[in-house]
Amino acid sequence: MATARRKISQTKDPVEKLRLLCLSRGAAGIMGMGKVFRRMDDDGSHSLNMEEFSKGIRETGLKLNEEETEQLFKAFDKDDEGSVNYEEFLLAIRPKMNDRRKNLVNVAFDMLDNTDDGVVTLEDMRNVYSVTKHPKFQSGEMSEDEILLTVIKKFENNTSVDGKITRDEFLDYYSGISASIDHDAYFDLMMRNAWGIK
């Protein structure tokens, strides 16, 4: 994380500066940008115009001049419509995972998505994830569903809290984690242990 902070002042690319700012805030930094996006979205349109975007970037503490802010906005506005939607924004700041890591994340998601409908629901989680060794389940403090919903909530982005995990939300979560793990072998081991991937 300290490395990310140092690199912010060294890079000239505004997108990379924002990505590094997120990474400097830990593994949840990318997902935390959902809150920032919502705060930026003054008119509630689920997209940002240039004025909202500029104001929001200033609030993040990222020091960009007007030209850099415009360059950043254009980098996110892939369809050139004068606004940035949440998906464009998140795709642009998500750290790149190599194919090996991305494949592992997709394998884990596919294992969870029992119904093959592209989302992981509470029902999917019940069929795959055991809470029997969870201390709060064993003590009776939390039910199976309460624990599983807590797990699901970790993966949801802040603009869509609906009790379901989409593949993009899953990838976003692990993109943040991946960025903080230097070695593929460790990422591989972590994913295999977490999700029982053989």
Side-chain angles (χ1 to χ4, degrees):
M1 285 185 252
T3 306
R5 282 189 208 107
R6 253 182 271 118
K7 287 182 179 177
I8 290 173
S9 61
Q10 297 169 350
T11 186
K12 299 288 183 226
D13 178 12
V15 175
E16 188 62 17
K17 282 185 180 187
L18 183 58
R19 186 178 295 124
L20 289 167
L21 177 69
C22 292
L23 294 176
S24 74
R25 294 177 177 172
I30 300 296
M31 293 187 65
M33 286 306 290
K35 285 182 183 175
V36 172
F37 188 94
R38 263 205 332 250
R39 274 199 318 267
M40 290 180 193
D41 185 17
D42 292 336
D43 64 7
S45 65
H46 303 290
S47 63
L48 305 177
N49 61 35
M50 183 61 188
E51 182 182 332
E52 292 169 324
F53 185 81
S54 296
K55 178 182 162 197
I57 290 300
R58 283 191 303 276
E59 288 177 13
T60 67
L62 187 62
K63 294 181 182 8
L64 298 177
N65 62 38
E66 191 174 325
E67 183 182 324
E68 289 172 318
T69 302
E70 284 180 29
Q71 183 183 352
L72 186 60
F73 183 82
K74 287 177 182 171
F76 292 143
D77 184 16
K78 297 288 185 200
D79 56 13
D80 206 27
E81 291 186 356
S83 65
V84 177
N85 71 37
Y86 183 74
E87 286 75 26
E88 290 173 324
F89 183 72
L90 211 54
L91 277 172
I93 63 169
R94 180 190 290 161
K96 306 293 183 247
M97 274 194 289
N98 66 35
D99 288 341
R100 181 176 174 190
R101 291 182 183 205
K102 204 179 293 184
N103 288 338
L104 273 170
V105 172
N106 282 319
V107 165
F109 184 86
D110 291 341
M111 286 176 58
L112 291 172
D113 182 15
N114 285 328
T115 53
D116 287 332
D117 60 357
V119 293
V120 175
T121 63
L122 182 60
E123 192 61 40
D124 289 324
M125 289 293 280
R126 272 194 212 111
N127 293 325
V128 178
Y129 195 89
S130 174
V131 301
T132 57
K133 295 192 178 176
H134 193 287
K136 290 192 177 185
F137 181 77
Q138 289 179 336
S139 71
E141 288 178 63
M142 292 176 80
S143 69
E144 177 185 28
D145 285 359
E146 289 171 322
I147 293 168
L148 292 175
L149 285 170
T150 301
V151 172
I152 288 171
K153 192 172 183 178
K154 284 183 180 184
F155 292 95
E156 292 186 300
N157 67 50
N158 293 305
T159 61
S160 173
V161 180
D162 56 6
K164 299 174 185 170
I165 308 168
T166 66
R167 186 175 301 272
D168 281 343
E169 287 170 332
F170 203 71
L171 281 165
D172 290 340
Y173 179 83
Y174 279 110
S175 288
I177 301 249
S178 173
S180 65
I181 298 174
D182 292 332
H183 302 288
D184 284 345
Y186 182 73
F187 186 84
D188 186 288
L189 179 66
M190 183 261 318
M191 289 299 294
R192 289 181 189 283
N193 286 340
W195 299 109
I197 299 170
K198 304 290 182 219

PDB file of all heavy atoms in Angstrom, residues 2 25 34-35 44 57 72 90 94 101 129 143 153 175 178 185:
ATOM      1  N   ALA A   2       1.952   1.222   0.760  1.00  0.00           N
ATOM      2  CA  ALA A   2       2.857   2.368   0.768  1.00  0.00           C
ATOM      3  C   ALA A   2       3.489   2.540  -0.609  1.00  0.00           C
ATOM      4  O   ALA A   2       3.721   3.658  -1.061  1.00  0.00           O
ATOM      5  CB  ALA A   2       3.930   2.182   1.831  1.00  0.00           C
ATOM      6  N   ARG A  25      -5.539   2.448  -0.455  1.00  0.00           N
ATOM      7  CA  ARG A  25      -6.557   2.361   0.600  1.00  0.00           C
ATOM      8  C   ARG A  25      -6.906   0.920   0.934  1.00  0.00           C
ATOM      9  O   ARG A  25      -7.887   0.654   1.616  1.00  0.00           O
ATOM     10  CB  ARG A  25      -7.794   3.143   0.177  1.00  0.00           C
ATOM     11  CG  ARG A  25      -7.480   4.622   0.086  1.00  0.00           C
ATOM     12  CD  ARG A  25      -8.626   5.443  -0.392  1.00  0.00           C
ATOM     13  NE  ARG A  25      -8.237   6.855  -0.377  1.00  0.00           N
ATOM     14  CZ  ARG A  25      -8.969   7.818  -0.889  1.00  0.00           C
ATOM     15  NH1 ARG A  25     -10.114   7.549  -1.446  1.00  0.00           N
ATOM     16  NH2 ARG A  25      -8.533   9.058  -0.836  1.00  0.00           N
ATOM     17  N   GLY A  34     -17.249   2.673  -5.118  1.00  0.00           N
ATOM     18  CA  GLY A  34     -18.702   2.698  -5.314  1.00  0.00           C
ATOM     19  C   GLY A  34     -19.349   3.794  -4.490  1.00  0.00           C
ATOM     20  O   GLY A  34     -20.238   4.504  -4.952  1.00  0.00           O
ATOM     21  N   LYS A  35     -18.894   3.942  -3.238  1.00  0.00           N
ATOM     22  CA  LYS A  35     -19.409   5.013  -2.381  1.00  0.00           C
ATOM     23  C   LYS A  35     -19.047   6.372  -2.960  1.00  0.00           C
ATOM     24  O   LYS A  35     -19.858   7.285  -2.976  1.00  0.00           O
ATOM     25  CB  LYS A  35     -18.827   4.890  -0.974  1.00  0.00           C
ATOM     26  CG  LYS A  35     -19.417   3.789  -0.159  1.00  0.00           C
ATOM     27  CD  LYS A  35     -18.802   3.781   1.219  1.00  0.00           C
ATOM     28  CE  LYS A  35     -19.342   2.616   2.014  1.00  0.00           C
ATOM     29  NZ  LYS A  35     -18.704   2.493   3.321  1.00  0.00           N
ATOM     30  N   GLY A  44     -28.506  11.735  -9.192  1.00  0.00           N
ATOM     31  CA  GLY A  44     -29.082  10.398  -9.037  1.00  0.00           C
ATOM     32  C   GLY A  44     -29.289   9.641 -10.333  1.00  0.00           C
ATOM     33  O   GLY A  44     -30.088   8.709 -10.391  1.00  0.00           O
ATOM     34  N   ILE A  57     -13.695  13.948  -7.946  1.00  0.00           N
ATOM     35  CA  ILE A  57     -12.249  13.681  -7.983  1.00  0.00           C
ATOM     36  C   ILE A  57     -11.528  14.555  -6.962  1.00  0.00           C
ATOM     37  O   ILE A  57     -10.640  14.094  -6.242  1.00  0.00           O
ATOM     38  CB  ILE A  57     -11.683  13.880  -9.411  1.00  0.00           C
ATOM     39  CG1 ILE A  57     -12.185  12.767 -10.338  1.00  0.00           C
ATOM     40  CG2 ILE A  57     -10.159  13.937  -9.396  1.00  0.00           C
ATOM     41  CD1 ILE A  57     -11.813  11.355  -9.923  1.00  0.00           C
ATOM     42  N   LEU A  72      -8.945  12.220 -17.608  1.00  0.00           N
ATOM     43  CA  LEU A  72      -9.463  11.098 -16.817  1.00  0.00           C
ATOM     44  C   LEU A  72     -10.924  10.825 -17.173  1.00  0.00           C
ATOM     45  O   LEU A  72     -11.317   9.678 -17.395  1.00  0.00           O
ATOM     46  CB  LEU A  72      -9.314  11.419 -15.326  1.00  0.00           C
ATOM     47  CG  LEU A  72      -9.670  10.335 -14.325  1.00  0.00           C
ATOM     48  CD1 LEU A  72      -8.811   9.098 -14.521  1.00  0.00           C
ATOM     49  CD2 LEU A  72      -9.502  10.863 -12.894  1.00  0.00           C
ATOM     50  N   LEU A  90     -15.802   1.569 -13.084  1.00  0.00           N
ATOM     51  CA  LEU A  90     -15.189   0.452 -12.374  1.00  0.00           C
ATOM     52  C   LEU A  90     -14.236  -0.340 -13.263  1.00  0.00           C
ATOM     53  O   LEU A  90     -13.162  -0.738 -12.827  1.00  0.00           O
ATOM     54  CB  LEU A  90     -16.285  -0.458 -11.818  1.00  0.00           C
ATOM     55  CG  LEU A  90     -15.957  -1.187 -10.533  1.00  0.00           C
ATOM     56  CD1 LEU A  90     -15.504  -0.236  -9.448  1.00  0.00           C
ATOM     57  CD2 LEU A  90     -17.147  -1.981 -10.074  1.00  0.00           C
ATOM     58  N   ARG A  94     -10.304  -0.819 -12.207  1.00  0.00           N
ATOM     59  CA  ARG A  94     -10.007  -2.165 -11.725  1.00  0.00           C
ATOM     60  C   ARG A  94      -8.579  -2.551 -12.112  1.00  0.00           C
ATOM     61  O   ARG A  94      -8.214  -2.472 -13.273  1.00  0.00           O
ATOM     62  CB  ARG A  94     -10.984  -3.161 -12.354  1.00  0.00           C
ATOM     63  CG  ARG A  94     -10.768  -4.590 -11.920  1.00  0.00           C
ATOM     64  CD  ARG A  94     -11.589  -5.545 -12.755  1.00  0.00           C
ATOM     65  NE  ARG A  94     -12.996  -5.408 -12.458  1.00  0.00           N
ATOM     66  CZ  ARG A  94     -13.961  -5.828 -13.269  1.00  0.00           C
ATOM     67  NH1 ARG A  94     -13.669  -6.386 -14.419  1.00  0.00           N
ATOM     68  NH2 ARG A  94     -15.212  -5.680 -12.933  1.00  0.00           N
ATOM     69  N   ARG A 101      -4.841 -15.732 -12.868  1.00  0.00           N
ATOM     70  CA  ARG A 101      -5.632 -15.315 -11.701  1.00  0.00           C
ATOM     71  C   ARG A 101      -7.109 -15.159 -12.069  1.00  0.00           C
ATOM     72  O   ARG A 101      -7.997 -15.574 -11.333  1.00  0.00           O
ATOM     73  CB  ARG A 101      -5.080 -13.999 -11.128  1.00  0.00           C
ATOM     74  CG  ARG A 101      -3.725 -14.167 -10.487  1.00  0.00           C
ATOM     75  CD  ARG A 101      -3.228 -12.872  -9.897  1.00  0.00           C
ATOM     76  NE  ARG A 101      -1.888 -13.026  -9.353  1.00  0.00           N
ATOM     77  CZ  ARG A 101      -1.383 -12.262  -8.397  1.00  0.00           C
ATOM     78  NH1 ARG A 101      -2.086 -11.275  -7.883  1.00  0.00           N
ATOM     79  NH2 ARG A 101      -0.156 -12.468  -7.963  1.00  0.00           N
ATOM     80  N   TYR A 129     -21.246 -23.445   0.422  1.00  0.00           N
ATOM     81  CA  TYR A 129     -20.462 -22.869   1.510  1.00  0.00           C
ATOM     82  C   TYR A 129     -20.991 -23.359   2.848  1.00  0.00           C
ATOM     83  O   TYR A 129     -22.139 -23.127   3.196  1.00  0.00           O
ATOM     84  CB  TYR A 129     -20.561 -21.341   1.414  1.00  0.00           C
ATOM     85  CG  TYR A 129     -19.561 -20.563   2.224  1.00  0.00           C
ATOM     86  CD1 TYR A 129     -18.328 -20.224   1.680  1.00  0.00           C
ATOM     87  CD2 TYR A 129     -19.853 -20.145   3.509  1.00  0.00           C
ATOM     88  CE1 TYR A 129     -17.411 -19.481   2.412  1.00  0.00           C
ATOM     89  CE2 TYR A 129     -18.943 -19.411   4.244  1.00  0.00           C
ATOM     90  CZ  TYR A 129     -17.729 -19.080   3.692  1.00  0.00           C
ATOM     91  OH  TYR A 129     -16.818 -18.355   4.404  1.00  0.00           O
ATOM     92  N   SER A 143     -27.586 -17.304  12.456  1.00  0.00           N
ATOM     93  CA  SER A 143     -28.096 -18.449  11.699  1.00  0.00           C
ATOM     94  C   SER A 143     -27.244 -18.656  10.451  1.00  0.00           C
ATOM     95  O   SER A 143     -26.432 -17.801  10.089  1.00  0.00           O
ATOM     96  CB  SER A 143     -29.551 -18.186  11.279  1.00  0.00           C
ATOM     97  OG  SER A 143     -29.592 -17.154  10.306  1.00  0.00           O
ATOM     98  N   LYS A 153     -22.496  -9.981   1.214  1.00  0.00           N
ATOM     99  CA  LYS A 153     -22.361  -8.521   1.300  1.00  0.00           C
ATOM    100  C   LYS A 153     -20.925  -8.057   1.071  1.00  0.00           C
ATOM    101  O   LYS A 153     -20.691  -6.970   0.529  1.00  0.00           O
ATOM    102  CB  LYS A 153     -22.864  -8.036   2.661  1.00  0.00           C
ATOM    103  CG  LYS A 153     -23.042  -6.554   2.736  1.00  0.00           C
ATOM    104  CD  LYS A 153     -23.712  -6.150   4.017  1.00  0.00           C
ATOM    105  CE  LYS A 153     -23.920  -4.646   3.997  1.00  0.00           C
ATOM    106  NZ  LYS A 153     -24.593  -4.176   5.168  1.00  0.00           N
ATOM    107  N   SER A 175     -10.023  -8.437  -7.769  1.00  0.00           N
ATOM    108  CA  SER A 175      -9.048  -7.537  -8.390  1.00  0.00           C
ATOM    109  C   SER A 175      -8.325  -6.737  -7.314  1.00  0.00           C
ATOM    110  O   SER A 175      -7.100  -6.556  -7.377  1.00  0.00           O
ATOM    111  CB  SER A 175      -9.730  -6.572  -9.353  1.00  0.00           C
ATOM    112  OG  SER A 175     -10.140  -7.242 -10.497  1.00  0.00           O
ATOM    113  N   SER A 178      -6.099  -9.192  -5.495  1.00  0.00           N
ATOM    114  CA  SER A 178      -5.001  -9.584  -6.369  1.00  0.00           C
ATOM    115  C   SER A 178      -3.917  -8.517  -6.407  1.00  0.00           C
ATOM    116  O   SER A 178      -2.720  -8.828  -6.414  1.00  0.00           O
ATOM    117  CB  SER A 178      -5.531  -9.837  -7.788  1.00  0.00           C
ATOM    118  OG  SER A 178      -4.487 -10.066  -8.690  1.00  0.00           O
ATOM    119  N   ALA A 185       1.606 -17.798  -7.217  1.00  0.00           N
ATOM    120  CA  ALA A 185       1.477 -19.039  -6.445  1.00  0.00           C
ATOM    121  C   ALA A 185       0.697 -18.794  -5.152  1.00  0.00           C
ATOM    122  O   ALA A 185      -0.141 -19.618  -4.763  1.00  0.00           O
ATOM    123  CB  ALA A 185       2.854 -19.614  -6.129  1.00  0.00           C
TER     124      ALA A 185
END
